[in-house]
Amino acid sequence: MRSTLAAGLLIAASLSTAAAAGEIGRIKSVAGAAQVVRGAAVTPAAPGQLLQASDVLRTGPDGRLGITFVDNSRFAVGPNSSIALSTFEFDDTTHAGRSLTTVNRGSLAIVSGQIAHENKDTMRVRTPTSVLAARGTRFVVVVP
Amino acid sequence: MTRRIGLALCLALGACATAKVGLLPGEGGAPAGAVAVFDPASGAERGQLNQPDTETSLGGGPVRPRPLTGAYDALLAAMPAPAQVFTLYFIEGTTQLSPESVPTLDALRHAITSTSDVQITGHTDTTGDAATNDRLSLDRATQVREVLVADGLPVSNARVTGRGSRELRVQTGPGVSEPANRRVEVIVR
């Protein structure tokens, strides 16, 4: 079980840069300074903006973001944050999928969605010292 | 050694907070569920939070739940509302909306905004063959999109799919006319 999990984490890490292009969610609300980093391109965050796997969300001292994902999960991003949407795979038909979100810095509130609901420990959040798995729920992660 | 320097630094700077995770009560009275914490290198589970309004530091040790500290009202104020689901019903064998679904269509029109993510999925009952039902379910979903587009709503890029009779709302055998299964489900995020 443990080695399976470790292998899963490795796969998640290795796929994070090769995730398929395509809409995984969108920005619903923006307050203060916030950007979306996609590869070398940095754009100011705007309501309605589409997000892809591997995008990085950044907020300034007064920045906040509200985000919805295609599996019905939702994020609220607080100020001074840097959060990468490292992996996001979701099958509309079967509701199977997996996601890995990396909180490098800042605060993130999460309401989990169909990915977490369908299969155990498939919605993950990585911090500099830990990996978290949502087991169906609403939680906050703070990385100072 | 490194740890000691780190401690001295954080004492000097007054910024000794470590990363943490907190479990909130479920939304709208839903159960809180749980959050599990794993070691990133070994994958070993360090424990989990399974009581609402508790937190644990993510410093590397085992999970030690304690009462939640800090205020998250401002953070949670940025959380988008849950997805809304609208179900529209159709007259047998047609893409014609049933009269009782007209109010639902009106509610749907009012729910869609310029930032909405809209997903339209058509379904049929089990009368008719699979190919016919696949086409009819897609036609129903497409029809709903066209009605919304004609109203000037920003759904021309909405995802439209037809599921035929694969996803019955009311389980029936083959060849059964069931109004509850002749439908289009619209998710508005």
Side-chain angles (χ1 to χ4, degrees), chain A residues 103 106 125-133 139-144, chain B residues 17-22 35-40 46-49 55-64 66:
Chain A
V103 182
V125 178
R126 184 163 54 194
T127 73
T129 54
S130 303
V131 173
L132 312 173
F139 59 104
V140 289
V141 180
V142 179
V143 178
Chain B
T18 57
K20 65 177 186 175
V21 58
V35 178
V37 182
F38 302 93
D39 183 278
R46 291 177 185 154
Q48 65 172 5
L49 297 175
E55 66 177 28
T56 183
S57 76
L58 297 173
V63 168
R64 290 209 178 79
R66 60 190 186 226

Side-chain angles (χ1 to χ4, degrees), chain B:
Chain B
M1 181 60 188
T2 315
R3 195 172 277 185
R4 193 175 288 182
I5 291 170
L7 182 62
L9 254 182
C10 89
L11 285 172
L13 297 171
C16 298
T18 57
K20 65 177 186 175
V21 58
L23 182 62
L24 304 175
E27 214 176 25
V35 178
V37 182
F38 302 93
D39 183 278
S42 70
E45 184 170 333
R46 291 177 185 154
Q48 65 172 5
L49 297 175
N50 55 20
Q51 296 298 315
D53 294 315
T54 59
E55 66 177 28
T56 183
S57 76
L58 297 173
V63 168
R64 290 209 178 79
R66 60 190 186 226
L68 188 69
T69 60
Y72 300 102
D73 293 355
L75 180 61
L76 292 173
M79 184 68 78
Q84 291 176 272
V85 182
F86 298 85
T87 306
L88 304 166
Y89 296 94
F90 289 79
I91 292 167
E92 184 166 7
T94 73
T95 59
Q96 202 181 331
L97 199 64
S98 73
E100 59 268 34
S101 286
V102 171
T104 312
L105 182 62
D106 279 338
L108 171 60
R109 285 184 171 113
H110 287 101
I112 296 172
T113 71
S114 61
T115 66
S116 292
D117 173 20
V118 179
Q119 189 176 335
I120 306 173
T121 309
H123 304 271
T124 68
D125 62 23
T126 59
T127 57
D129 61 51
T132 304
N133 285 339
D134 282 356
R135 197 170 52 244
L136 178 59
S137 63
L138 182 59
D139 287 347
R140 283 175 174 161
T142 306
Q143 167 79 3
V144 169
R145 179 175 65 183
E146 283 169 3
V147 166
L148 297 172
V149 168
D151 286 343
L153 293 166
V155 294
S156 50
N157 292 324
R159 275 164 297 153
V160 173
T161 51
R163 301 271 297 134
S165 57
R166 289 173 191 79
E167 209 174 301
L168 302 175
R169 193 179 181 96
V170 173
Q171 290 302 317
T172 71
V176 176
S177 170
E178 170 54 64
N181 289 333
R182 298 193 289 267
R183 70 203 194 278
V184 167
E185 289 174 354
V186 184
I187 300 175
V188 181
R189 296 185 187 98

